[in-house]
Amino acid sequence: MAINDNDIAFLIEQVRQAGEIEIMPRFRNLVDGDIAEKTSAIDLVTQADLLAEERITKALRQRFPQALIVGEEAYDADRSVVPALNHAELAFVIDPVDGTFNFAAGLPMFGTILAVVANGETVAGIIHDPILGDTITAVAGGGAHLTRRNGSSKRLKVAAPKPISAMTGIVAWAHMGEPERSRIAGNMAKLRMSFYYNCSAYEYWMLACGKIDFVSHQTLNPWDHLAGLLIHREAGGYSAHYDGSAHRPGEMTGGIIAAADRESWETVRREIIGL
Amino acid sequence: MTAAVDITLLANLLRDAAQAEILPRFRRLAAGDIRIKSEATDLVTEADEQAERMIKREVERLWPDAVFIGEESVAAHPDLLGKLEGADLAIIVDPVDGTFNFAAGVPAFGVMASVVVRGETVAGIIFDPMGDDWVMAEKGSGAWLRRPSGEAERLKVAAPVALEHMTGFASTGFIDKRKRAEVMGNLAKVRFASNYRCAAHEYRTFAGGHVHYAMYNKILP
């Protein structure tokens, strides 16, 4: 099932409205009862996550009644929705507030992510910044674009390849166990710079805009990565699992490196991930 | 001597500069608006320079006896920093803290000012242009989150926890190359180490009790 330009415009509008109505009024306005811990003190869910996901899900069900809808909160209720992404004719994957730790701490770094998956391929990706109302998007085969709230738009391109000592990159080692955790944390010293924002929306945003050189994660929650990986690929980048195979939307393991090109990918795998 | 500077005036000045010179340039910088200072990740933009110019002009008008020390003024005249210790009154300003983020279109940046009287910091202000609010403190009066509406909320750091449960911020980019790998490897011992490349937001988050530590190697005033 194909997704057309009108559908994309509809999706962007739903994400924008969720930001205005459910997310921004709650930024720096949460009371204690609005924040709950999921698996740990850094894995949080707020009223903004729940209500934004509910709002977007409802709009999607009306327009696409047959589609599979996968949200971070929906997954907590039914884990079979993720493997189903590899086969569904049409599916939507939502992260209503990516960067919930930041959102709850009052840090202005969070985004709303929406991916469209058709027959096991990500065909469209949207990452929206609810604070300023700007959006980066990609449709498979159509390039990646940044569209400002005022409608101005420009095409995105990943950074030029460079040697490891000149690279700036992000590895989510804090989510890994030992021995990878210590090995990779130490290897990061080989880079020009590394940092960590607790927000995959902005990791992919910077990657697609050519402001950083690579991103790597071990665990692949589809709501965190599918839209960003497509946008990165459409901006000219190369990504694959740690073993070199292509990522499929329903896979949560195998790790990922997203870099400027195949050679940069191999350099990061060897020098930073240490494989 | 604290009374020499009404920090509400200084706080409003930071906000005015953000609205006039910083926000209109966010995600709108042309290639020529960004320049490299000491290395490829140390940047200055038109927003830094114009905001500092505006703040400096107003500080000189409001507090003519104060020594003004701005990040971009120091970049042009490094000897300016030496005047801080001996000054009866100094006002230190970072017009855009988090310039790398600002230039990359990432909304974690802030406008900071502090007041130093004869070698002692007596007031500090961090303005966040995205949230349109300040965190600020005057020595001896606690730390406060303030909004333009007049709302205020007292801030308190998080309760202490064991090392393996700590979350926080570690800036390691300026540590000597040989020591850096060791420190970065040791960071694996904490629950979580982030780095937002923006001291303004890191101190803001730390003062709000959301993390347990903030660690820096390079300490520019």
Side-chain angles (χ1 to χ4, degrees):
Chain A
M1 176 162 174
I3 194 112
N4 62 36
D5 287 352
N6 287 338
D7 294 327
I8 299 289
F10 168 83
L11 297 174
I12 292 172
E13 180 58 19
Q14 295 314 311
V15 165
R16 198 188 61 73
Q17 284 183 17
E20 273 182 18
I21 295 165
E22 302 293 357
I23 299 173
M24 286 316 294
R26 292 182 171 86
F27 183 53
R28 293 185 187 167
N29 243 341
L30 294 170
V31 292
D32 287 347
D34 291 340
I35 308 173
E37 287 183 16
K38 295 204 309 186
T39 58
S40 74
I42 51 172
D43 184 17
L44 307 173
V45 62
T46 73
Q47 284 297 304
D49 299 69
L50 298 172
L51 293 168
E53 181 168 327
E54 195 179 299
R55 185 188 170 88
I56 296 169
T57 301
K58 199 172 150 193
L60 291 173
R61 284 209 196 292
Q62 270 176 10
R63 189 175 174 113
F64 309 98
Q66 310 296 323
L68 170 70
I69 299 178
V70 180
E72 190 169 0
E73 309 315 325
Y75 170 72
D76 287 340
D78 176 7
R79 308 228 147 190
S80 71
V81 294
V82 169
L85 285 171
N86 286 336
H87 310 289
E89 200 181 330
L90 179 67
F92 296 94
V93 184
I94 310 166
D95 192 348
V97 181
D98 175 71
T100 299
F101 172 85
N102 294 345
F103 180 80
L107 277 157
M109 300 195 59
F110 50 89
T112 303
I113 307 179
L114 181 60
V116 185
V117 177
N119 302 309
E121 297 277 340
T122 307
V123 295
I126 297 168
I127 299 179
H128 180 70
D129 162 17
I131 299 182
L132 289 165
D134 298 342
T135 312
I136 59 171
T137 56
V139 176
H145 295 85
L146 164 64
T147 305
R148 301 289 315 262
R149 177 165 32 197
N150 66 13
S152 68
S153 183
K154 69 170 181 184
R155 188 148 183 172
L156 302 178
K157 193 171 180 324
V158 296
K162 47 180 78 73
I164 192 81
S165 61
M167 285 189 194
T168 298
I170 295 175
V171 181
W173 57 260
H175 292 287
M176 299 177 186
E178 295 293 1
E180 292 85 1
R181 188 179 170 96
S182 293
R183 181 181 74 217
I184 293 172
N187 281 343
M188 300 293 280
K190 294 176 187 174
L191 301 171
R192 168 173 286 280
M193 184 171 78
S194 68
F195 48 89
Y196 198 70
Y197 288 155
N198 292 308
C199 176
S200 51
Y202 272 108
E203 292 177 11
Y204 285 111
W205 189 294
M206 296 178 84
L207 194 61
C209 293
K211 303 295 184 180
I212 59 174
D213 300 297
F214 71 90
V215 166
S216 179
H217 288 258
Q218 192 174 53
T219 305
L220 304 172
N221 295 324
W223 45 87
D224 289 334
H225 297 282
L226 294 185
L229 286 170
L230 177 68
I231 294 168
H232 170 250
R233 194 166 74 226
E234 289 296 328
Y238 178 85
S239 61
H241 282 305
Y242 289 159
D243 70 1
S245 62
H247 176 59
R248 300 190 67 210
E251 294 167 336
M252 298 178 83
T253 57
I256 199 90
I257 300 167
D261 58 9
R262 176 72 192 252
E263 200 185 332
S264 304
W265 182 93
E266 282 170 0
T267 303
V268 172
R269 181 180 185 270
R270 184 179 66 245
E271 299 291 333
I272 304 297
I273 308 302
L275 295 173
Chain B
M1 190 79 196
T2 315
V5 173
D6 175 348
I7 70 159
T8 308
L9 281 180
L10 187 54
N12 285 332
L13 173 54
L14 302 187
R15 181 173 183 245
D16 292 345
Q19 290 176 349
E21 302 292 353
I22 300 172
L23 282 171
R25 293 185 168 90
F26 186 54
R27 290 186 188 154
R28 234 172 249 167
L29 293 169
D33 293 337
I34 308 174
R35 286 180 298 284
I36 291 170
K37 292 203 295 190
S38 62
E39 53 161 345
T41 54
D42 183 18
L43 308 173
V44 60
T45 72
E46 278 296 297
D48 299 66
E49 291 177 345
Q50 297 301 332
E52 179 160 326
R53 193 166 300 164
M54 173 173 167
I55 296 169
K56 181 171 193 275
R57 191 176 63 229
E58 285 301 295
V59 164
E60 284 170 348
R61 187 177 68 81
L62 291 163
W63 303 286
D65 298 332
V67 174
F68 179 88
I69 298 178
E71 179 170 7
E72 306 318 328
S73 313
V74 170
H77 305 283
D79 56 317
L80 197 55
L81 265 185
K83 294 186 178 171
L84 185 54
E85 281 296 317
D88 279 338
L89 173 65
I91 293 177
I92 296 97
V93 170
D94 188 349
V96 180
D97 176 68
T99 300
F100 177 87
N101 292 343
F102 181 83
V106 172
F109 53 90
V111 189
M112 298 201 282
S114 54
V115 182
V116 173
V117 172
R118 288 187 290 275
E120 191 177 19
T121 308
V122 297
I125 306 167
I126 299 174
F127 178 68
D128 171 27
M130 289 294 123
D132 195 19
D133 56 23
W134 303 268
V135 294
M136 57 172 94
E138 281 184 279
K139 193 166 185 271
S141 305
W144 297 83
L145 166 66
R146 293 188 187 278
R147 295 187 157 127
S149 63
E151 278 175 273
E153 186 185 317
R154 188 150 185 174
L155 300 172
K156 194 174 182 317
V157 298
V161 295
L163 184 66
E164 68 267 27
H165 296 301
M166 286 190 188
T167 61
F169 308 121
S171 168
T172 52
F174 300 107
I175 299 176
D176 172 73
K177 192 86 184 169
R178 281 161 304 171
K179 187 80 182 158
R180 198 193 308 169
E182 185 189 333
V183 174
M184 293 180 82
N186 280 339
L187 279 173
K189 294 176 188 171
V190 299
R191 178 71 189 86
F192 215 93
S194 304
N195 174 358
Y196 288 84
R197 287 199 57 84
C198 175
H201 272 286
E202 293 177 351
Y203 280 113
R204 186 184 198 288
T205 304
F206 182 74
H210 299 285
V211 297
H212 305 99
Y213 68 93
M215 182 184 104
Y216 305 92
N217 190 62
K218 185 178 175 187
I219 310 169
L220 294 170

